[in-house]
Amino acid sequence: MNEYWQARRSGPSAQRPGDRRTPWQRDRARVLHSAAFRRLQSKTQIMNVGENDFYRTRLTHSLEAAQIGTSLINQLHHVGSSEERQLLPDLNLMETLCLAHDIGHPPFGHGGETALNYKMLASGGFEGNGQTFRIVGKLEAYHAEHGMDLTRRSLLGLLKYPVLMPDWPVPDTLTNPGSLANWRPAKALFACDADLLDWVLEPLSAADRQRFQEVEKLERSPWQRSLHKSFDASLMELADDIAYGVHDLEDAVVTGTLSENQWHTHLDHVVSSLDGDLSTLMRQLGTQLFSRQHSIRKDAIGALVNIFVTAVRIKEVLPDVNEELVRYNAVLPEPQRFLLDSLKAVVFEHVINQPSIQQLRYRSQTMLLNLFSAFHNEPLRLLPHNTRARWQTAYEQEGQAGADRILCDYIAGMTDDYAERMYKNLFVI
């Protein structure tokens, strides 16, 4: 791989004496030893932390995504052409991307993400993947200015949405959002991090960058959707989707949130539409998933993962682009893609969209809205000393929008437990 993809923004640095690690091994170590990664152990995946002792957190989800990501690489090593094998990321690089992909998510999952986006509408918005990019590139304490100071290829692989936030209409008041469903974030990076994005995309020609950053406008909102991602990012996103669609499904089955009748109601027509062998296998696995024997259920979960891992292929998605890391993506054939999307839909409908989960999400969103308002109104009184100093510097140099970004960084970095304790300290008598 060309040296510019191994470069770090801080420039060349002397290796520690005797350090034989590759750049990708060093990136992986920086993620593993970061505070942002450790906090994932107390951040919501779907069900709130503390509600049950079985289901997954953001940390266990990320570990499972990393394992699936390396399985995808191993599979493509066996089925890909010699040219395709040259393109594959190192296993350490793949693990780096999967381990880091969720570290920007705020407390309380996507509900917390929407709450912070609403509060940041006048100051550049908020989105979890954009915050991940900001953490690894600027905030984490490994380097004074460049966060974890990861390699350029690692940063490119974390760009699920390699575009900046669009402009949007800001409400007259940000005190009462009404339904937060109207304020889901655009999938994009923050304008204040444009310099980091420019550095990552510097190796691309002007024509390649223009194609890579193409977007489409969404009809039912002022937002946009980026159309492309790099090869490494497509592998990371596929591993994330499989972990979400299969392992979060396991949580729903084991905790009784998803019943066998609900499974058949939602998926029987999907299974019937699949090709013969895949349809037969899914009927068998659908029965095994609800077995009372843990080993049988666990074997079914592994077999579901195997369906998608063994189907992965490499596709040329931007044939007119010169840079190979942008020209190709990892994809699933249509039947497996349809099945995986259907499993994700089951998780959404019968887990995420359940009133009990939505009531917890509403409560959590309200806590974050109030926390943001309190710190925004009384920053010099309520913020911790270190954050207060960063807030003051940002306010003096960049005005209110810059200061709000520091405040948002602080709240987004909280774990679920810490955010709830802070809320009780400020609001509960």
Side-chain angles (χ1 to χ4, degrees):
M1 181 54 59
N2 293 328
E3 288 186 5
Y4 49 75
W5 290 117
Q6 297 184 27
R8 303 182 189 276
R9 202 176 183 200
S10 63
S13 59
Q15 290 280 91
R16 292 187 176 97
D19 189 350
R20 304 291 185 182
R21 293 177 299 169
T22 67
W24 323 122
Q25 289 172 321
R26 296 172 69 193
D27 280 0
R28 180 178 178 273
R30 293 180 187 192
V31 171
L32 276 173
H33 293 286
S34 67
F37 181 72
R38 289 195 301 276
R39 292 189 186 106
L40 295 178
Q41 67 186 306
S42 188
K43 287 194 176 186
T44 293
Q45 172 66 9
I46 293 181
M47 302 177 187
N48 277 30
V49 173
E51 293 295 317
N52 188 286
D53 64 358
F54 173 85
Y55 60 79
R56 289 154 172 89
T57 65
R58 288 277 174 189
L59 178 64
T60 57
H61 163 76
S62 298
L63 292 170
E64 288 172 337
Q67 185 275 320
I68 293 170
T70 56
S71 294
L72 292 170
I73 301 300
N74 287 330
Q75 176 69 16
L76 289 170
H77 265 296
H78 284 90
V79 303
S81 66
S82 59
E83 292 80 7
E84 290 172 341
R85 287 195 292 271
Q86 291 296 317
L87 184 62
L88 292 175
D90 177 89
L91 291 177
N92 291 283
L93 172 55
M94 190 73 254
E95 286 197 7
T96 297
L97 302 181
C98 293
L99 293 172
H101 81 281
D102 265 354
I103 61 174
H105 274 277
F108 311 122
H110 289 290
E113 179 185 47
T114 303
L116 285 181
N117 181 59
Y118 177 76
K119 283 297 188 179
M120 287 293 291
L121 285 174
S123 302
F126 178 83
E127 197 273 333
N129 295 285
Q131 189 70 9
T132 293
F133 189 65
R134 182 168 170 80
I135 288 171
V136 298
K138 291 189 175 181
L139 298 183
E140 190 63 41
Y142 186 90
H143 190 278
E145 298 176 2
H146 304 307
M148 295 184 196
D149 197 27
L150 301 181
T151 58
R152 183 183 266 120
R153 181 166 178 176
S154 289
L155 291 173
L156 179 70
L158 288 170
L159 288 177
K160 290 179 68 172
Y161 316 109
V163 297
L164 297 177
M165 283 279 185
D167 294 327
W168 48 64
V170 178
D172 294 334
T173 176
L174 292 177
T175 57
N176 182 10
S179 173
L180 278 173
N182 298 321
W183 302 108
R184 293 189 181 96
K187 301 297 185 181
L189 308 177
F190 311 136
C192 59
D193 298 323
D195 58 326
L196 179 58
L197 177 62
D198 287 340
W199 182 81
V200 174
L201 301 184
E202 189 176 288
L204 302 184
S205 68
D208 281 5
R209 177 168 177 171
Q210 183 176 14
R211 284 284 279 134
F212 183 53
Q213 294 186 289
E214 288 176 332
V215 298
E216 63 176 355
K217 297 293 183 181
L218 301 182
E219 294 181 1
R220 297 184 181 180
S221 78
W223 312 144
Q224 64 190 24
R225 177 187 293 116
S226 60
L227 295 176
H228 310 296
K229 58 182 61 68
S230 72
F231 177 67
D232 297 344
S234 71
L235 281 162
M236 175 266 287
E237 187 172 52
L238 182 54
D240 184 25
D241 279 354
I242 295 171
Y244 169 69
V246 178
H247 290 301
D248 290 349
L249 173 69
E250 181 184 13
D251 282 358
V253 171
V254 173
T255 59
T257 309
L258 176 68
S259 70
E260 190 168 3
N261 285 336
Q262 290 169 328
W263 166 272
H264 288 298
T265 298
H266 202 104
L267 277 179
D268 277 357
H269 72 284
V270 172
V271 173
S272 297
S273 69
L274 299 173
D275 296 336
D277 290 344
L278 184 55
S279 179
T280 300
L281 176 58
M282 281 304 301
R283 286 190 179 91
Q284 175 185 340
L285 296 180
T287 299
Q288 293 177 352
L289 271 175
F290 295 91
S291 171
R292 293 184 179 181
Q293 289 185 249
H294 179 75
S295 59
I296 294 177
R297 184 179 63 245
K298 203 66 182 175
D299 186 60
I301 291 296
L304 280 173
V305 172
N306 184 69
I307 287 173
F308 304 116
V309 169
T310 56
V312 65
R313 296 293 183 269
I314 295 175
K315 180 180 179 181
E316 189 178 41
V317 293
L318 289 175
D320 55 336
V321 165
N322 290 321
E323 174 53 58
E324 291 182 333
L325 288 179
V326 172
R327 189 192 312 165
Y328 296 97
N329 273 187
V331 299
L332 290 177
E334 187 58 36
Q336 286 81 6
R337 183 76 256 180
F338 175 58
L339 176 58
L340 182 55
D341 289 343
S342 299
L343 294 181
K344 291 168 61 180
V346 169
V347 173
F348 178 82
E349 182 60 32
H350 294 290
V351 182
I352 298 174
N353 212 29
Q354 287 300 300
S356 59
I357 298 295
Q358 289 302 315
Q359 288 163 12
L360 286 171
R361 177 173 287 194
Y362 182 84
R363 173 179 175 271
S364 302
Q365 287 176 321
T366 301
M367 283 196 289
L368 285 196
L369 290 172
N370 288 331
L371 279 177
F372 193 101
S373 295
F375 289 124
H376 178 82
N377 294 333
E378 298 273 9
L380 300 181
R381 181 182 177 192
L382 300 178
L383 287 173
H385 291 295
N386 289 341
T387 306
R388 183 189 308 173
R390 292 195 298 273
W391 185 95
Q392 285 182 301
T393 300
Y395 187 81
E396 293 167 0
Q397 296 178 355
E398 306 169 46
Q400 189 63 56
D404 282 349
R405 181 59 63 189
I406 299 301
L407 171 55
C408 188
D409 290 338
Y410 173 58
I411 296 177
M414 294 179 178
T415 63
D416 294 16
D417 293 338
Y418 185 86
E420 188 149 359
R421 286 198 304 272
M422 182 64 71
Y423 178 83
K424 289 179 179 178
N425 288 342
L426 294 177
F427 295 103
V428 178
I429 299 176

